[in-house]
């Protein structure tokens, strides 16, 4: 993994750096909508369509007729969706989940076409129809529910900070105040810093969260804010980094799908019901328990 990171560093060293001032950065329309949605206490982003085993709906029928599930994933998030440098195969917690969906829908866990989707392009990939669904450490938010549909929650994460050990930071305030903080574009970390500035001197905005690790390695960012589930992966890839807590938010991960495909959402929710009973724990213990400690799958929450 270190070799892959080093290669990425060489590429990013020649890439222009996007740095925005925390004080002067204008709030985008998306960020404004996120703030407004968060203020709406009637919204519970974890509620989803009730599960169903019915496979006669148009979205599920189309996938079965095609004979392959087209899934948007990551290849740079260690232990979640990453490419094994020895075998070249995609693996991780989210990849296991996609294989479980494919097995349930098509009878074969390998009937999957994986498409690599950057953080900032996840919503576009669903809305354009280029993928059937996305499992890519994607937080369910009230704002995103205006454009996408989500499964029930399959993981609970929270925002933390990654910082070089050489910075000798003991708290999030030590790590962030007056510093350049790296975030992935269109991520909930970026939204959080917009709504709750932590005294950062500016934000380094990148396409994928792993790019933040490289920016810190190159001295182009002082700290990174990202989900703790991803933060521990950065620290595992580079032992000169550390994760500073506690978690600042609750980040419920869901599988994203089109709002026009309620039959697929219901079918995926049934698959998740089964996966929580058999599959989730084994995958978690293998990939994530070493960094995050013991955890059980979050309970499903359904609409009336």
């Amino acid at each position: 993994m270190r070799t892959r990171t080093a290669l990425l560093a060489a590429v990013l060293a020649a890439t222009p750096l996007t740095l925005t001032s925390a004080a002067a950065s204008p709030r985008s329309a998306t960020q404004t909508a996120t703030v407004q949605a968060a203020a709406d206490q009637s919204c519970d982003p974890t509620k989803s369509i009730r599960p169903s085993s019915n496979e006669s709906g148009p979205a599920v029928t189309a996938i079965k007729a095609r004979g392959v599930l087209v899934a948007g994933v990551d290849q740079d998030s260690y232990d979640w969706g990453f490419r094994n440098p020895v075998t070249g195969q995609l693996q991780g917690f989210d990849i296991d989940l996609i294989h479980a969906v494919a097995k349930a829908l098509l009878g074969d866990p390998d009937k999957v076409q994986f498409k690599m989707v950057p953080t900032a392009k996840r919503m576009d990939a669903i809305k354009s129809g280029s993928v059937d669904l996305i499992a890519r450490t994607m937080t369910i938010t009230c704002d995103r529910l205006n454009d996408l549909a989500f499964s029930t929650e399959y993981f609970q994460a929270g925002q933390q900070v990654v910082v070089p050990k050489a910075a000798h930071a003991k708290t999030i305030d030590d790590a962030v105040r007056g510093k350049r903080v790296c975030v992935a574009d269109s991520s909930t970390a970026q939204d959080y810093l917009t709504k709750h500035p932590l005294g950062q001197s500016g934000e380094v905005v990148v396409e994928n969260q792993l790019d933040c690790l490289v920016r810190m390695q190159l001295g182009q960012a002082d700290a990174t804010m990202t989900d703790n589930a991803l933060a521990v992966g950065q620290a595992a890839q580079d032992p000169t980094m550390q994760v500073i807590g506690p978690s600042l938010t609750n980040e419920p991960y869901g599988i994203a799908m089109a709002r026009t495909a309620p039959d697929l959402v219901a079918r995926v929710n049934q698959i998740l019901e089964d996966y929580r009973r058999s599959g989730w724990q084994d995958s978690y213990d293998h990939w994530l328990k070493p960094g995050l400690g013991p955890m059980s799958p979050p309970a499903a929450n359904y609409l009336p």
Side-chain angles (χ1 to χ4, degrees):
M1 297 303 299
R2 294 301 305 278
T3 300
R4 179 164 59 83
T5 303
L7 289 173
L8 186 57
V11 173
L12 289 178
T15 304
L17 183 65
T18 302
L19 178 64
T20 61
S21 165
S25 177
R27 179 175 288 170
S28 70
T30 298
Q31 291 165 336
T32 300
T34 301
V35 174
Q36 292 170 342
D40 181 2
Q41 298 303 311
S42 66
C43 172
D44 182 349
T46 66
K47 287 187 176 181
S48 184
I49 296 173
R50 290 190 174 275
S52 173
S53 297
N54 190 327
E55 297 190 338
S56 63
V60 174
T61 299
I63 293 170
K64 294 176 78 69
R66 187 197 307 135
V68 65
L69 176 69
V70 183
V73 296
D74 195 4
Q75 65 176 355
D76 292 316
S77 292
Y78 191 56
D79 289 335
W80 285 88
F82 71 103
R83 197 170 292 281
N84 185 305
V86 177
T87 66
Q89 297 297 308
L90 285 169
Q91 56 189 48
F93 188 76
D94 277 341
I95 304 303
D96 285 353
L97 179 55
I98 290 294
H99 283 304
V101 174
K103 183 178 180 179
L105 289 178
L106 301 168
D108 186 339
D110 294 322
K111 287 188 174 180
V112 182
Q113 178 186 351
F114 289 111
K115 287 193 174 183
M116 308 309 128
V117 181
T119 303
K121 301 298 182 182
R122 292 177 297 187
M123 295 179 67
D124 290 341
I126 291 289
K127 291 192 287 185
S128 69
S130 64
V131 297
D132 297 314
L133 49 76
I134 287 180
R136 194 189 178 288
T137 60
M138 191 169 185
T139 302
I140 313 166
T141 69
C142 296
D143 180 53
R144 288 172 177 169
L145 284 169
N146 291 325
D147 297 294
L148 308 180
F150 280 91
S151 70
T152 53
E153 177 184 3
Y154 69 86
F155 191 84
Q156 178 67 240
Q159 293 295 328
Q160 289 188 259
V161 172
V162 184
V163 65
K165 291 179 180 177
H168 302 295
K170 301 297 183 183
T171 66
I172 289 178
D173 188 68
D174 292 340
V176 172
R177 187 168 298 278
K179 306 294 177 58
R180 299 163 299 171
V181 180
C182 188
V183 292
D185 190 21
S186 300
S187 66
T188 50
Q190 186 181 42
D191 290 340
Y192 183 88
L193 287 181
T194 299
K195 292 181 287 185
H196 308 285
L198 299 176
Q200 68 273 19
S201 65
E203 295 169 19
V204 179
V205 182
V206 297
E207 190 172 64
N208 288 305
Q209 60 87 22
L210 185 63
D211 298 346
C212 284
L213 175 59
V214 180
R215 295 299 188 194
M216 290 189 294
Q217 292 169 335
L218 295 173
Q220 296 175 347
D222 303 305
T224 294
M225 177 170 281
T226 189
D227 299 353
N228 58 355
L230 300 172
V232 296
Q234 289 194 15
Q237 288 175 277
D238 187 343
T240 69
M241 302 290 168
Q242 64 178 333
V243 180
I244 302 292
S247 296
L248 299 174
T249 62
N250 291 321
E251 305 280 336
Y253 289 173
I255 299 175
M257 289 160 278
R259 287 172 58 90
T260 55
D263 64 305
L264 179 59
V265 179
R267 184 69 184 96
V268 167
N269 281 342
Q270 181 59 59
I271 294 168
L272 283 173
E273 282 284 317
D274 300 334
Y275 193 63
R276 290 185 186 96
R277 288 191 292 267
S278 178
W280 191 100
Q281 197 67 60
D282 287 343
S283 181
Y284 177 84
D285 290 349
H286 179 78
W287 295 113
L288 304 176
K289 184 178 178 180
L292 294 172
M295 190 180 296
S296 298
N301 191 10
Y302 297 115
L303 292 164

